[in-house]
Amino acid sequence: MFQKNDSHAQEQLFSPVKELPAGAREKLENHWSTHFYEHVFTQIDEDKFGVLYHEGYSRPNKPVNELVSLEIIKHLMDLSDEELEYAYLFDFRVRNALGKEALGDNICQKTFTNFRRRLMEFEEETGRDLLHEVFEDHRAYLMDEFDIDGSTQRMDSTYIEANIKQLSRVDLIAKVLHNFLTDLPAEIGEELPAGMDRFADVENLSLSYQLEPDEVSSTIDTLIEHTAWLVDRFEDKPEYASLESFAHLERVLDEQCYRITELESDDTDEDDDDDEEQSNPGDGSPGWKPLREFESIEAEKQHESTTDDGSSELETSNDRVGLKEPDEVGSGSLQHPHDDEATYREKDEEDFFGYKANVAETCDGDNPFRVITAVRADTNNTPDGELLEDDVPELPNETGLEDLLVDGGYADHDVEALCEEYGITQHFSGIPGEQPAEDKISLADAEWERNRMVACPAGHEPFDQRYLPESGRYSGKMDKSLCSNCPLEENCFVQEKVQYYAYGFYERRLEVAQRRKRLSDPEEELLQLRAGAESLVHEVYHQDREKTKFTGKIKVKNASVAKAIGTNLKRASRFLESEAQAKKSVG
């Protein structure tokens, strides 16, 4: 049953706080925990979380404002759940942040996990992110309370390494196969074809360290044949097909392998009436013979015999699956069954496994402190432009955003059009792609009014020009007598035709050219503010560790939101402390 918590508003007559000496009480008044209580805890709208609880009569919930605050404090102080439990019980800083003046109440770690689970399930069911709504409310409160100007902001993204071991291909398939085999009931596992049970043994989960180079290929072939065999035999049996380990088995087969369809018909029995009998695990029927029984490399060499054409039996075995080439496997493929939402990304010849976070903050120098205005998290193969797109409709209305400082990774035609629609001017600190030749005249050197060229770089207007909004195509014709005698002709963007000079290009090329010109403008002072975005990323994500403690996109995202709220509180607290010190010095 949902019940609001307002007990913190009732001041106690006797408490350890009231027994503190004047000096200690003054320090407590300017401590971050007091600022947390005043500017975070009391601003949490508990009513939003009522949907997580049963409406009927039951035991009242643990106060929501306490649970949300503890989630923020967990990341603010970098605590485990066990440490957070003891901090709630015995750490007066945490007690003070929750408006508690004394000890006396209890909490257990399961309360934290149950609350996070309800948040995650509610978001999956409804798409509504309650923790992000707390972040938005807190952002609005801080900007109003401290008169923060949000018209100029900077944004950057960073990779969040998943808390998983990087697996080789052979180890990934072996791990997934092992998980499903261990999930099968003992009686089914005992009746599986000979050799397959080897992969239920944990000793074979690091095959890449056990195999000789010439053994890897044949072992992978065996693994994927067992994988295909298990998928075929259990996909129509709900009690097994509903297992997470079976979903991983199917995913690996789809992402890492391809089916040899021309051989699949060879296994079809002409008598369809016997299909159901042959599909029962362990019945000894021919339909349950594996594609290739696993044997050690030594045994395979001993049993290998030569056919009439000189090829071995292993080479002519009736395989039904083949392994894709590495460059055919997508970046969104399964990296580790422990975290099946983590993806792969390569940047600057470095491999990344996990997620990506996107954050923005105010950067006007007249503000008392910087406020994080946006935080998103997704898989690390998500383009920066997509992460920005989610915040475009909200930031101008909620924060007053007008000028956004980003790097070239956010360049996206559709997102730029959306920013323009909402009145956001993007300022890019870099442009991806090949740089044009220095002596080549840029399209930006011409004078443009909307979609018309008013004057070319030499000052002449085309005698005929067109713009097609459907395709974004520009074209035009220049007087031949003007261009043929022009000193800029050799490096100009026009091309000589029989009766005139002509140009043609798409709108995107003009946009990039104009952007490059702005970058080279020494008066573009806004771009100098962009450099601080890297310190923002470091402050929020990389002070403690490179890897996240959490698995799954929603959990990683919720951790990012809690970190952003905690970072905003730390910044506000530092400002309030400095203000108090200044007043004390003046006094």
Side-chain angles (χ1 to χ4, degrees):
M1 182 181 70
F2 174 71
Q3 181 175 312
K4 290 184 65 174
N5 171 35
D6 54 8
S7 60
H8 59 91
Q10 180 63 45
E11 185 177 354
Q12 295 187 14
L13 186 59
F14 301 101
S15 72
V17 175
K18 295 192 170 47
E19 297 176 2
L20 291 174
R25 187 178 300 183
E26 182 181 351
K27 290 182 179 180
L28 181 61
E29 290 175 355
N30 293 315
H31 192 257
W32 71 261
S33 61
T34 301
H35 300 151
F36 188 102
Y37 172 75
E38 294 174 352
H39 301 292
V40 178
F41 182 83
T42 58
Q43 303 304 316
I44 295 173
D45 185 358
E46 291 186 276
D47 290 329
K48 291 183 176 181
F49 294 83
V51 293
L52 302 179
Y53 299 91
H54 194 275
E55 294 181 358
Y57 181 77
S58 61
R59 183 179 179 181
N61 61 289
K62 193 70 176 176
V64 167
N65 49 11
E66 291 188 10
L67 293 176
V68 173
S69 295
L70 287 170
E71 190 68 15
I72 298 169
I73 291 172
K74 173 184 173 70
H75 298 283
L76 184 67
M77 302 178 67
D78 190 28
L79 304 175
S80 66
D81 279 357
E82 181 179 13
E83 292 169 332
L84 185 62
E85 176 187 2
Y86 285 106
Y88 177 87
L89 295 175
F90 309 121
D91 191 330
F92 186 73
R93 297 172 301 174
V94 175
R95 305 288 295 182
N96 187 54
L98 304 182
K100 295 178 178 292
E101 297 184 20
L103 305 178
D105 49 347
N106 196 7
I107 201 169
C108 65
Q109 295 178 43
K110 194 172 183 180
T111 303
F112 307 142
T113 56
N114 286 341
F115 182 67
R116 295 186 196 118
R117 176 182 52 79
R118 286 197 294 268
L119 283 175
M120 185 173 64
E121 290 175 351
F122 181 75
E123 183 175 350
E124 289 174 341
E125 293 172 2
T126 67
R128 186 179 170 191
D129 186 351
L130 295 176
L131 195 59
H132 196 271
E133 290 182 19
V134 173
F135 165 77
E136 292 172 341
D137 293 343
H138 186 240
R139 174 192 64 195
Y141 166 78
L142 288 179
M143 296 186 74
D144 181 65
E145 180 74 11
F146 296 96
D147 196 21
I148 304 293
D149 181 4
S151 59
T152 304
Q153 299 179 27
R154 57 192 173 204
M155 178 176 285
D156 201 5
S157 63
T158 185
Y159 294 132
I160 304 175
E161 283 290 278
N163 193 15
I164 57 176
K165 178 183 177 182
Q166 296 182 14
L167 298 178
S168 66
R169 230 169 165 186
V170 64
D171 287 337
L172 172 63
I173 302 172
K175 176 70 174 174
V176 169
L177 187 63
H178 164 84
N179 289 349
F180 181 68
L181 291 175
T182 53
D183 279 348
L184 290 175
E187 60 272 17
I188 298 298
E190 292 174 357
E191 297 172 351
L192 292 177
M196 192 178 291
D197 59 341
R198 166 176 178 170
F199 296 103
D201 191 340
V202 295
E203 294 182 359
N204 293 308
L205 290 183
S206 298
L207 291 174
S208 57
Y209 296 100
Q210 304 173 23
L211 299 173
E212 296 297 328
D214 60 341
E215 299 175 334
V216 174
S217 178
S218 60
T219 303
I220 289 184
D221 288 342
T222 299
L223 286 167
I224 63 176
E225 288 165 12
H226 285 332
T227 299
W229 185 86
L230 288 169
V231 169
D232 289 343
R233 297 311 177 196
F234 289 101
E235 62 183 351
D236 295 328
K237 299 189 174 299
E239 64 270 33
Y240 306 117
S242 60
L243 296 172
E244 182 182 45
S245 57
F246 184 81
H248 293 162
L249 207 67
E250 286 185 306
R251 185 172 169 185
V252 163
L253 186 64
D254 292 339
E255 294 170 347
Q256 301 283 343
C257 310
Y258 60 87
R259 292 277 189 170
I260 305 176
T261 55
E262 60 269 22
L263 298 179
E264 299 234 347
S265 59
D266 296 342
D267 298 315
T268 304
D269 200 305
E270 295 181 0
D271 188 1
D272 294 332
D273 296 336
D274 296 332
D275 283 351
E276 187 169 345
E277 284 186 21
Q278 294 181 2
S279 66
N280 292 326
D283 65 359
S285 64
W288 268 80
K289 185 177 181 180
L291 299 178
R292 181 190 297 166
E293 293 185 2
F294 179 83
E295 294 183 285
S296 66
I297 299 299
E298 293 76 10
E300 287 181 352
K301 290 179 179 178
Q302 291 176 3
H303 295 153
E304 188 178 35
S305 60
T306 305
T307 59
D308 295 338
D309 61 357
S311 61
S312 67
E313 287 183 359
L314 286 177
E315 292 171 346
T316 58
S317 64
N318 188 20
D319 298 343
R320 283 183 284 179
V321 288
L323 194 67
K324 292 180 181 179
E325 294 297 323
D327 59 0
E328 296 178 316
V329 180
S331 64
S333 61
L334 183 69
Q335 304 299 314
H336 197 293
H338 180 61
D339 189 350
D340 57 10
E341 291 187 294
T343 55
Y344 167 78
R345 178 73 180 266
E346 181 180 356
K347 184 178 181 181
D348 299 331
E349 298 183 355
E350 187 176 357
D351 296 334
F352 296 91
F353 298 85
Y355 301 89
K356 177 190 282 188
N358 192 61
V359 287
E361 68 174 358
T362 60
C363 56
D364 190 306
D366 294 331
N367 287 330
F369 58 90
R370 294 169 287 124
V371 170
I372 297 176
T373 57
V375 55
R376 300 283 177 183
D378 212 320
T379 54
N380 67 6
N381 59 355
T382 305
D384 289 346
E386 286 188 21
L387 293 171
L388 165 59
E389 186 176 11
D390 294 334
D391 289 309
V392 169
E394 173 192 334
L395 289 178
N397 294 329
E398 300 297 328
T399 68
L401 173 62
E402 296 176 359
D403 295 290
L404 181 63
L405 314 180
V406 292
D407 60 29
Y410 289 87
D412 181 282
H413 181 72
D414 293 336
V415 177
E416 289 172 39
L418 186 64
C419 286
E420 185 177 352
E421 177 185 345
Y422 283 90
I424 300 174
T425 301
Q426 288 178 282
H427 302 268
F428 294 88
S429 61
I431 306 297
E434 186 178 352
Q435 294 286 338
E438 292 184 4
D439 57 350
K440 194 71 175 177
I441 295 176
S442 169
L443 289 171
D445 292 335
E447 184 179 349
W448 298 88
E449 286 185 2
R450 295 184 179 272
N451 299 319
R452 289 187 59 82
M453 183 192 293
V454 178
C456 73
H460 306 297
E461 185 176 359
F463 68 83
D464 181 23
Q465 57 179 310
R466 297 180 183 180
Y467 170 71
L468 302 177
E470 298 81 6
S471 61
R473 176 75 177 174
Y474 286 82
S475 61
K477 300 175 183 178
M478 303 291 296
D479 191 301
K480 194 165 189 177
S481 63
L482 296 174
C483 291
S484 59
N485 297 317
C486 180
L488 305 177
E489 176 197 2
E490 184 177 351
N491 297 319
C492 192
F493 50 79
V494 296
Q495 294 182 343
E496 184 178 6
K497 304 295 181 182
V498 177
Q499 298 180 352
Y500 50 82
Y501 279 70
Y503 61 83
F505 53 86
Y506 285 98
E507 187 173 22
R508 185 65 177 170
R509 183 180 164 192
L510 175 60
E511 292 174 352
V512 172
Q514 292 172 333
R515 189 179 301 152
R516 290 190 190 279
K517 185 176 181 179
R518 287 197 298 269
L519 284 177
S520 62
D521 186 349
E523 296 181 359
E524 187 66 274
E525 297 179 359
L526 281 175
L527 292 177
Q528 298 177 10
L529 298 173
R530 173 65 179 72
E534 294 183 4
S535 64
L536 161 67
V537 166
H538 177 76
E539 180 182 6
V540 178
Y541 289 100
H542 302 311
Q543 282 187 331
D544 303 321
R545 63 183 55 82
E546 293 296 324
K547 289 190 175 183
T548 179
K549 294 179 178 179
F550 307 97
T551 60
K553 186 167 65 176
I554 290 182
K555 292 179 182 178
V556 171
K557 182 263 302 172
N558 284 348
S560 295
V561 172
K563 285 182 177 182
I565 299 173
T567 302
N568 278 342
L569 182 277
K570 285 193 294 185
R571 292 174 173 181
S573 181
R574 285 196 295 264
F575 168 72
L576 291 170
E577 288 178 24
S578 64
E579 287 285 288
Q581 288 294 332
K583 289 180 180 179
K584 184 176 181 180
S585 299
V586 172

